[in-house]
Amino acid sequence: MSKSCCHKTNSHEQNPLHKGGLGNGTIYTCPMHPEVEQIGPGDCPKCGMALEPKGGVLAEGSEIELREMTRRFFLSALLTLPIFFLAMGEMVFGNLLPTFISSQLSSWLQLLLATPVVLWGAWPFFKRGWNSVLTQNLNMFTLIAMGVGVAYTYSAVAVLFPYFLPHGFLGVDNHVPIYFEASAVIVSLVLLGQVLELKARAKTSSAIRKLLELAPPSATRIKEDGTEETVPLAELKVGEVLRVKPGDKVPVDGIILEGKTTIDESMITGEPFPAQKGLEAKVIGGTINGTGSFVMKATRVGGDTLLSQIIHLVSEAQTSRAPIQRLADKVSSYFVPAVILIAALTFVSWAFLGPEPRLALAILNSVAVLIIACPCALGLATPMSIMVGTGKGASMGILIKDAAALEAFEKVNTLVVDKTGTLTLGKPKLINLHASKNFSQDELLTYASSLEMGSEHPLAQAIVSGARERGVKLFPFSNFESFTGKGVKGEVNGRTVIVGNSNLLSENNITLDEVAERAESLRQEGQTLMFVSIDGRIAGVLGVSDPIKDSTREALKLLKEDGVRIVMLTGDSSTTSKAIANALQIEEFHAEVLPEDKNRIVKELRQAGAIVAMAGDGINDAPALAQADIGIAMGTGTD
């Protein structure tokens, strides 16, 4: 099968999870030329680079190649050092060269040492260079093979058959100059470059391996008769019923049929706190179950799971091409033939116009042109930077969709950010509590949180969580009543308790004078207020807020130092938005905006000449994310 033929594959075929690992049918592609694909390993016919699995994970053959190239480098370098010492010792080290080593003996020793370096160490380069000629895709290995081959062959002939060479090759001392050190040093340096390149690829691949390791190897399937069996992940089908035990990884995406638990979804959402899961709740493959046991139905398996899609996204990004790479490829296509032409002209010029020994210097300088002009950096810089960048990002939880996005990101000068879940945690938290003169703070929090245990409202959960963090004892509640948009009422430990907004307390003839001043102060700080009354008297006020993420201030500081303009968009109230903007020193912000408003503002910024990146975490941010030059979807906005 031709190495340059293309095979169209779907995401299932490309995904290692779906295939259960890398098998004999793995498709390999070239990092520099993604259009080149073949089944099984090999070399790219265009650039000579070793092909790698399209799934993004280097197979064992690639690790063998790294070991083999490392062995070639170390042995070649070990032999090159004495060659360099023999050839350049007098220039570099003065008279340190042993007197018993004559010029003729030095030449024979250099031939003996250089031969394994060139014929064994450089063999992969000669092979790739020859293939580049056969396929008419001249590349850096063409130049390396020509330069090393000419330098070594000429030097070997000069040592073995010196009398066959014309008089023009003789130096001032009537000896034919040899250049074994040039060919050996070139081979050692290029081998070092290959080792560094393969190591970079291995590190990049490790990011994909870590993602693959997130999925468990097997799952517990419940059969129709109620018995359970352990099966490999690859055998699971949509609709099958699975049991997930405490501490196990969720095998695939699905919904909970029985039980409730908490699941650590930080690998997907980035949230440090486990998510509460109950009946009909969605679960994600690869996440870690807490202390509860539950039964789930598989809704997405194999390549359809969220984890598989993330792996596919990263691997596709690593082999995508940045716009600037097209320029590098175009330049390289003209560059190599031009270098060969210049090397030929250099040889002719030195042979006819240069000083004695003309022919020897002509060969040396034409080889120098071939080697020094080798476009290694031109061909490797862009694809390697993309591979390393996307791989490093994946290991840090940043999924870069493609190379074009990575390149465009560097030009961004305006960052538009959503507030909730992006600048803030996206989870309300009890920040302040102020008790009136007849009640203590512990008493206030005890009764308020005990009653709020009966509510599923996010603000109620924040109060309960705050009480538990403070070690407050909770009492059972009874006669619970919920008033939509206002609050709750009930009995705790034999006392009537109301927790809600000012309207609910006013309806129950409870005055707020004792806490009015403190309440206004908390309101100005952007906190949401919950008033508490016990037995018909105001007991105090609780301040709930969405805390700013620990990393937000430092991130904004670094962005501003880089000259990036920050614009905050949020659907929250003006008071809350202003408080957050002031705390983070954000000069531009828009409050109470709708999804279509976010989209419009981003569009207006772009029309004004700004290169805009939009960061958000909610479905309401989707239009603006699409409108921006670069969209950044935060981990909390998985869907």
Side-chain angles (χ1 to χ4, degrees):
M1 185 175 290
S2 172
K3 292 183 179 178
S4 59
C5 68
C6 247
H7 304 277
K8 297 295 182 183
T9 56
N10 58 37
S11 62
H12 293 248
E13 293 172 331
Q14 295 173 9
N15 200 294
L17 280 184
H18 181 77
K19 295 170 64 175
L22 295 166
N24 295 329
T26 301
I27 295 176
Y28 283 68
T29 185
C30 174
M32 285 177 61
H33 302 94
E35 70 277 9
V36 175
E37 296 181 358
Q38 73 172 41
I39 296 177
D43 295 330
C44 175
K46 292 189 175 183
C47 65
M49 288 181 64
L51 302 178
E52 60 186 45
K54 192 166 184 178
V57 182
L58 294 183
E60 188 175 343
S62 301
E63 295 172 355
I64 293 172
E65 183 186 11
L66 174 57
R67 290 196 296 270
E68 177 67 19
M69 206 62 83
T70 302
R71 184 164 54 248
R72 288 180 190 270
F73 164 67
F74 279 113
L75 289 177
S76 297
L78 193 64
L79 295 173
T80 298
L81 285 174
I83 297 173
F84 184 82
F85 184 78
L86 289 168
M88 312 296 292
E90 191 173 341
M91 297 183 195
V92 179
F93 305 107
N95 296 322
L96 295 179
L97 198 66
T99 55
F100 64 84
I101 299 180
S102 64
S103 176
Q104 187 175 9
L105 179 58
S106 175
S107 297
W108 280 96
L109 286 173
Q110 289 182 57
L111 172 61
L112 185 66
L113 293 169
T115 298
V117 174
V118 173
L119 299 186
W120 177 74
W123 176 249
F125 307 147
F126 287 120
K127 182 181 175 184
R128 294 174 184 180
W130 179 245
N131 286 338
S132 72
V133 175
L134 293 180
T135 58
Q136 298 181 359
N137 289 291
L138 303 184
N139 53 53
M140 64 181 182
F141 294 108
T142 315
L143 302 183
I144 293 169
M146 288 179 65
V148 171
V150 169
Y152 173 79
T153 303
Y154 159 73
S155 300
V157 171
V159 173
L160 297 171
F161 312 105
Y163 302 110
F164 288 178
L165 296 176
H167 187 270
F169 282 93
L170 293 178
V172 291
D173 56 355
N174 288 325
H175 285 95
V176 180
I178 56 175
Y179 303 104
F180 287 117
E181 86 285 350
S183 57
V185 168
I186 288 164
V187 170
S188 296
L189 290 177
V190 176
L191 282 170
L192 175 60
Q194 292 292 297
V195 170
L196 294 176
E197 175 198 329
L198 288 168
K199 281 188 175 180
R201 284 200 226 168
K203 287 182 179 178
T204 302
S205 176
S206 67
I208 307 294
R209 289 188 188 277
K210 288 178 182 177
L211 290 176
L212 284 170
E213 289 168 2
L214 291 174
S218 60
T220 302
R221 180 166 61 192
I222 302 176
K223 297 193 290 186
E224 291 183 2
D225 61 3
T227 59
E228 298 179 1
E229 61 177 347
T230 301
V231 295
L233 211 60
E235 293 185 11
L236 294 181
K237 298 178 182 178
V238 173
E240 289 188 322
V241 180
L242 314 171
R243 181 177 298 282
V244 181
K245 299 174 183 177
D248 284 354
K249 287 184 177 180
V250 178
V252 293
D253 296 359
I255 58 172
I256 294 179
L257 300 179
E258 295 177 20
K260 59 181 181 178
T261 186
T262 57
I263 295 181
D264 179 1
E265 296 183 337
S266 57
M267 70 118 179
I268 297 292
T269 66
E271 291 296 332
F273 302 109
Q276 299 284 339
K277 299 289 183 177
L279 195 63
E280 298 295 322
K282 293 181 180 179
V283 291
I284 302 169
T287 55
I288 303 172
N289 184 28
T291 56
S293 175
F294 64 91
V295 175
M296 62 172 285
K297 181 174 76 173
T299 57
R300 291 193 292 186
V301 299
D304 292 330
T305 64
L306 179 62
L307 179 59
S308 295
Q309 290 171 11
I310 290 173
I311 293 170
H312 178 63
L313 179 67
V314 176
S315 62
E316 286 292 297
Q318 288 184 343
T319 54
S320 63
R321 295 158 69 84
I324 196 172
Q325 192 173 336
R326 299 191 195 102
L327 176 62
D329 288 347
K330 189 173 183 180
V331 171
S332 293
S333 65
Y334 295 105
F335 187 80
V336 175
V339 168
I340 295 174
L341 178 61
I342 293 170
L345 292 174
T346 301
F347 177 84
V348 172
S349 300
W350 277 87
F352 288 98
L353 303 176
E356 294 295 342
R358 292 177 181 174
L359 293 178
L361 291 174
I363 289 176
L364 177 64
N365 286 289
S366 59
V367 167
V369 170
L370 290 172
I371 300 301
I372 293 172
C374 178
C376 304
L378 184 66
L380 291 176
T382 301
M384 285 306 297
S385 62
I386 290 167
M387 287 176 64
V388 174
T390 52
K392 183 68 174 176
S395 67
M396 299 172 68
I398 303 168
L399 304 181
I400 301 167
K401 186 177 181 182
D402 54 37
L406 189 62
E407 183 181 331
F409 213 160
E410 187 271 333
K411 302 179 179 69
V412 167
N413 55 28
T414 303
L415 176 64
V416 177
V417 291
D418 174 50
K419 179 183 74 65
T420 305
T422 304
L423 299 176
T424 65
L425 288 174
K427 290 185 175 181
K429 189 173 182 180
L430 180 62
I431 302 296
N432 277 296
L433 59 157
H434 172 73
S436 59
K437 60 183 180 181
N438 294 318
F439 296 88
S440 68
Q441 288 193 351
D442 283 351
E443 189 178 14
L444 169 68
L445 190 54
T446 295
Y447 282 91
S449 56
S450 296
L451 182 63
E452 289 287 24
M453 282 196 300
S455 173
E456 294 295 328
H457 195 280
L459 294 178
Q461 295 303 308
I463 293 172
V464 174
S465 297
R468 285 176 174 157
E469 288 175 7
R470 291 166 172 81
V472 171
K473 182 182 178 181
L474 303 182
F475 296 106
F477 61 87
S478 59
N479 299 324
F480 182 85
E481 295 179 79
S482 177
F483 304 93
T484 304
K486 295 180 180 180
V488 294
K489 181 180 180 180
E491 292 185 9
V492 176
N493 205 25
R495 306 179 72 175
T496 302
V497 180
I498 299 175
V499 183
N501 59 22
S502 56
N503 290 334
L504 181 60
L505 270 72
S506 296
E507 290 173 5
N508 285 270
N509 300 317
I510 299 168
T511 60
L512 310 178
D513 296 344
E514 283 188 52
V515 297
E517 185 177 343
R518 179 57 176 159
E520 183 59 29
S521 173
L522 296 177
R523 190 178 284 110
Q524 290 299 319
E525 294 176 11
Q527 298 181 29
T528 301
L529 304 185
M530 303 287 285
F531 295 94
V532 183
S533 76
I534 300 175
D535 290 336
R537 298 172 61 186
I538 185 69
V541 59
L542 306 176
V544 176
S545 179
D546 185 5
I548 296 170
K549 290 180 180 177
D550 293 337
S551 58
T552 296
R553 287 183 172 83
E554 179 66 13
L556 293 179
K557 176 175 173 286
L558 293 172
L559 286 166
K560 288 178 181 178
E561 288 176 356
D562 283 342
V564 178
R565 173 186 174 191
I566 309 295
V567 181
M568 184 179 80
L569 304 183
T570 178
D572 275 0
S573 67
S574 298
T575 303
T576 302
S577 303
K578 185 177 181 180
I580 294 293
N582 290 339
L584 296 175
Q585 298 181 338
I586 297 176
E587 290 78 19
E588 290 185 69
F589 69 93
H590 301 266
E592 301 178 8
V593 295
L594 300 173
E596 55 267 29
D597 295 325
K598 293 183 179 182
N599 186 47
R600 173 183 54 79
I601 292 168
V602 170
K603 188 175 182 179
E604 289 173 353
L605 288 169
R606 292 185 67 193
Q607 289 174 344
I611 300 175
V612 181
M614 168 71 191
D617 80 322
I619 294 298
N620 62 325
D621 297 319
L625 289 170
Q627 180 65 240
D629 294 283
I630 295 291
I632 308 167
M634 306 301 290
T636 48
T638 302
D639 293 337

